[in-house]
Amino acid sequence: MSDYQVVNPATGEVEQEFPTATDAEVQEAVERAHTAYASWRTTTQDERAAILLRVADLYEERADELARIIAREMGKPLKEGKGEIALVASIYRYYATEGPGLLADTPLSPKMGGDAVVRKEPVGPLLGIMPWNFPYYQVARFAAPNLMVGNTIILKHAPQCPESALAIEQLFADAGLPSGAYVNVFATNDQSTDVIADPRVVGVSVTGSERAGSAVAEVAGRHLKKVVLELGGSDAFILLDTEDLGAAVKAAVRGRMGNAGQACNGAKRMIVVDDLYDDFVTAFTGAMAGLTPGDPLEDGVDFGPLSSEQAVVNLVEQIDDAVAKGATVLTGGKRVDRTGAFMEATVLADVTPDMRAFSEELFGPAAVVYRVADAEAAIALANDSSFGLGGVVYSADTAQAQEVADRLDTGMVWINTAQGSAADLPFGGTKRSGVGRELGPYGIDEFVNKKLIYTPAAR
């Protein structure tokens, strides 16, 4: 049985299998990327940009087909899938249009005289190890800036996303990307370790779990390879005060339930000041209880199944652990009694530090609500986490919101709006949420050689 399968989480059926790469095929993938780099790095920025613009067009032209693929692979409703694809297209367009400026020489003014510039140059073939929860978007965050730089890509996608992985590779080929500049490979974890160690590969980017990031970073460090790690999160949604409680509740639900709660930067911990807590929890719990999962291939679905049977098992175990230790289930808490990996939208209260739900990431449609006395207590609770990806601060007092944002130990903070993502805004975290940045002007700087070129003053 191959590791790479399409197992429809709405039905539990294995719809298609793809052979895992042999060692020889993995080596061939590395060699193709290595060979292509020699010529791809010499293409002009205009040539690269033209291909990325065509990639963006093809994503939009094929949106229906691509959305249906991931609905079957990991359960994303069609509307959300098309939204992901629209974001992906914007990422390729951003780096195509802004890339030349972002890669322009940076002049320096050396005190010893003369002229100096820092020139951004490509570094070589890169390995990307990508997850299943945003099959197109995660790849775009990594591939778009690095192809614009002139690096080449070897891509190991999640084993449950083989069809989307092949669709991405085909899309690049159809856009005119030279053979070998982007290579998909259905590798095992052990084979990926060998790729990282290969001297032809200069860096690796991982989006995934803490465990995966730690394992990759260990191998990369041993071989002196640069890494970018985008890992888990347990983002806080802090509600201090508001002139529109309904809007805040709507944002909290949206932040928690996007992709059936399977987003690293989803709002997982609702931290609410005492005088708003009861009203917020009543409204939030009611809104969550009103959501029902459905077939991701049908229109009007509130949210789809979790990505797999194991994902349901993991989430139920976390919830059961909390309940056994005294937590209160305000709504949901169980898997749905139907075929497929469906889970009820869940709200937990009275969660304490001895429970797994306090410290672990809840990767699914489950939120935890906390009552706090004031902003100081909200900051302390929000920072009491090993994660530091993002967070949300709601307050009618924008100065207070900014002050709280400054004190959160996270890579991103969103004020008076649900978390999101945009091509021109950097994405990344601190602590166990990873290292490095993707998207925006910082995303193109991770895998470049910032070469100093100095010319002394004429004598």
Side-chain angles (χ1 to χ4, degrees), residues 3-6 18 130 132 156-162 186-187 189:
D3 290 334
Y4 287 84
Q5 299 178 317
V6 176
F18 296 81
M130 295 295 124
W132 50 262
K156 177 200 178 302
H157 218 316
Q160 70 194 84
C161 294
F186 290 149
N189 290 340

Side-chain angles (χ1 to χ4, degrees), residues 24-73:
E25 288 170 335
V26 172
Q27 286 301 306
E28 180 188 5
V30 174
E31 182 58 29
R32 286 180 61 202
H34 174 67
T35 300
Y37 174 64
S39 57
W40 179 244
R41 67 174 301 180
T42 66
T43 57
T44 67
Q45 292 179 357
D46 286 346
E47 290 175 295
R48 297 176 207 155
I51 290 174
L52 293 189
L53 288 173
R54 181 57 182 151
V55 169
D57 290 343
L58 289 176
Y59 265 105
E60 291 176 337
E61 291 172 14
R62 301 175 184 180
D64 289 346
E65 169 196 348
L66 296 173
R68 293 185 72 84
I69 290 174
I70 60 174
R72 292 171 39 252
E73 284 183 330

Side-chain angles (χ1 to χ4, degrees), residues 342-368:
F342 292 95
M343 183 74 192
E344 295 177 334
T346 300
V347 180
L348 293 174
D350 307 314
V351 170
T352 54
D354 62 321
M355 303 171 187
R356 293 175 57 190
F358 185 88
S359 57
E360 295 180 4
E361 180 177 22
L362 299 179
F363 216 61
V368 180

Side-chain angles (χ1 to χ4, degrees), residues 87-338:
L87 176 57
V88 165
S90 75
I91 292 170
Y92 285 104
R93 286 205 178 94
Y94 170 78
Y95 283 110
T97 56
E98 301 298 326
L102 296 173
L103 294 172
D105 288 353
T106 302
L108 304 177
S109 300
K111 293 187 181 301
M112 62 182 179
D115 295 318
V117 298
V118 172
R119 181 158 297 154
K120 297 177 182 178
E121 297 181 340
V123 292
L126 305 171
L127 173 65
I129 301 175
M130 295 295 124
W132 50 262
N133 57 335
F134 291 90
Y136 305 117
Y137 163 67
Q138 306 283 7
V139 172
R141 295 193 323 194
F142 167 59
N146 283 300
L147 289 172
M148 187 64 210
V149 167
N151 297 320
T152 56
I153 304 296
I154 305 158
L155 203 291
K156 177 200 178 302
H157 218 316
Q160 70 194 84
C161 294
E163 280 195 36
S164 54
L166 291 174
I168 293 169
E169 185 180 46
Q170 185 62 53
L171 192 149
F172 276 119
D174 293 345
L177 189 70
S179 176
Y182 180 98
V183 183
N184 178 76
V185 60
F186 290 149
T188 65
N189 290 340
D190 287 343
Q191 289 170 331
S192 297
T193 295
D194 293 339
V195 173
I196 297 169
D198 194 301
R200 293 170 291 183
V201 175
V202 300
V204 57
S205 179
V206 178
T207 300
S209 67
E210 294 173 82
R211 179 182 57 79
S214 178
V216 167
E218 180 181 0
V219 177
R222 194 158 61 241
H223 295 279
L224 301 178
K225 304 292 179 72
K226 168 72 182 289
V227 298
V228 169
L229 305 176
E230 297 289 355
L231 309 178
S234 187
D235 290 8
F237 182 102
I238 299 174
L239 178 59
L240 301 175
D241 59 82
T242 180
E243 295 174 351
D244 188 344
L245 182 63
V249 169
K250 185 176 181 180
V253 173
R254 186 168 71 250
R256 174 68 291 227
M257 291 302 294
N259 202 31
Q262 300 169 117
C264 53
N265 64 328
K268 300 179 177 77
R269 298 180 293 150
M270 310 299 165
I271 301 174
V272 186
V273 293
D274 185 71
D275 60 342
L276 288 175
Y277 180 85
D278 289 336
D279 289 342
F280 172 85
V281 169
T282 297
F284 179 69
T285 301
M288 291 283 281
L291 301 175
T292 56
D295 188 330
L297 290 170
E298 296 179 358
D299 292 330
V301 172
D302 289 328
F303 64 102
L306 271 66
S307 63
S308 66
E309 175 64 24
Q310 189 59 50
V312 176
V313 170
N314 293 344
L315 185 58
V316 169
E317 286 179 351
Q318 290 171 307
I319 294 169
D320 288 349
D321 170 79
V323 171
K325 295 173 181 175
T328 303
V329 176
L330 300 180
T331 189
K334 303 184 299 296
R335 69 176 303 148
V336 179
D337 185 17
R338 59 175 288 181

